[in-house]
Amino acid sequence: MPKRTQPKHARPAPAGLSRELIIGTALAQIDTIGPQALSMRSLAQQLGVEAMSLYRYVNGREDLLEGVVARLMGNLNANLDPTLTEHWQGFLQAVAHEVRSIAIAHPRAFPLVATRHPAAPWLRPPLRSVEVVDTFLSALIGYGFTDEQAVGAYRSFTSLLLGHLLLESAVRGADTGPASEPLDEGGAVIPEHDGQKDLANAPEVVRLRPLLSEERSDEEFDISLEALLDRLNLRLTQ
């Protein structure tokens, strides 16, 4: 029986091919060309493999983009330490500057933080992971906030951060629209239900979930607008 040979066009996967390498390469591509131009084919070409080789590690483009967002925000929780400051204002400033540093370092990728589905429908970007929100709420409650005040601060704070940083990303050349219509390439799963996320290590999120789930967008908009008007009025009267 004749010996089978590989097709000439087939290239073996490099020894170090992994999900981490694929996601890191995708982030580097997005930093250069933006998420709209990213494709499994272009990614495979840069890695020197066939596109199908990537599906051993990522479930298509949707899963790839989820991985990019996780890479962007993955170290955020480890860098939030409420013990580094005595006051809640200092903690919020530290969180804000930490998130802004991500947006500045990756302006073309940062809008994905806003357009991808969060881990649960009642979480809000850019503080969109259960772990980060649990740290945030625990810290504020430790500073003396009530449950309602802590959740209200989370809502207002995330709205301010997202609005400002998306605008700043756009100024730096980002396309702030969605990367694409959802594409199911290879059985990708878009997280939509909070039941898919293990909340065992997020006690404050579990306890405050009813408050986090409340719809208060109209009230939040009016409060933010009034705060802006008050600041402008203060400047005019000084």
Side-chain angles (χ1 to χ4, degrees):
M1 179 179 293
K3 185 179 179 180
R4 284 189 172 182
T5 58
Q6 278 191 322
K8 291 183 179 180
H9 65 276
R11 290 176 289 184
L17 188 64
S18 65
R19 180 177 175 87
E20 291 71 26
L21 175 62
I22 292 168
I23 290 172
T25 305
L27 176 57
Q29 277 200 10
I30 292 171
D31 284 341
T32 303
I33 61 177
Q36 296 285 2
L38 179 69
S39 70
M40 299 294 282
R41 182 177 299 177
S42 67
L43 187 58
Q45 185 176 11
Q46 182 169 346
L47 289 167
V49 299
E50 296 296 327
M52 289 305 297
S53 300
L54 303 181
Y55 291 98
R56 301 174 187 173
Y57 306 95
V58 293
N59 294 325
R61 192 170 184 274
E62 293 299 307
D63 183 38
L64 179 64
L65 293 178
E66 291 295 321
V68 167
V69 171
R71 172 69 66 89
L72 280 175
M73 310 303 289
N75 293 325
L76 179 59
N77 203 44
N79 294 333
L80 302 185
D81 187 353
T83 65
L84 296 179
T85 177
E86 295 181 4
H87 304 289
W88 62 266
Q89 294 97 326
F91 174 72
L92 292 184
Q93 287 175 335
V95 176
H97 285 290
E98 189 67 34
V99 177
R100 184 170 182 259
S101 70
I102 297 171
I104 291 174
H106 304 280
R108 290 186 171 179
F110 186 78
L112 291 173
V113 175
T115 58
R116 308 304 301 161
H117 296 263
W122 30 268
L123 299 182
R124 301 155 62 117
L127 306 185
R128 63 196 306 276
S129 79
V130 169
E131 294 79 13
V132 169
V133 175
D134 196 71
T135 297
F136 184 91
L137 295 174
S138 297
L140 291 190
I141 290 170
Y143 286 119
F145 282 56
T146 66
D147 292 350
E148 291 77 8
Q149 289 170 336
V151 172
Y154 168 70
R155 292 173 178 274
S156 301
F157 188 71
T158 51
S159 295
L160 182 148
L161 274 186
L162 191 62
H164 183 90
L165 295 180
L166 281 179
L167 178 59
E168 192 167 358
S169 296
V171 170
R172 295 173 185 270
D175 183 346
T176 56
S180 66
E181 292 298 320
L183 298 175
D184 186 2
E185 301 181 15
V189 176
I190 304 174
E192 294 177 344
H193 303 293
D194 54 326
Q196 297 175 349
K197 183 68 177 177
D198 183 8
L199 302 179
N201 296 319
E204 292 303 321
V205 169
V206 172
R207 189 174 67 83
L208 298 177
R209 178 174 163 179
L211 287 175
L212 290 167
S213 301
E214 290 179 357
E215 171 54 51
R216 293 188 175 181
S217 56
D218 291 343
E219 177 186 350
E220 291 164 14
F221 181 83
D222 288 335
I223 290 173
S224 298
L225 180 59
E226 288 172 9
L228 173 61
L229 296 177
D230 287 342
R231 288 200 305 272
L232 293 176
N233 183 63
L234 178 62
R235 290 181 181 180
L236 288 171
T237 56
Q238 282 180 339

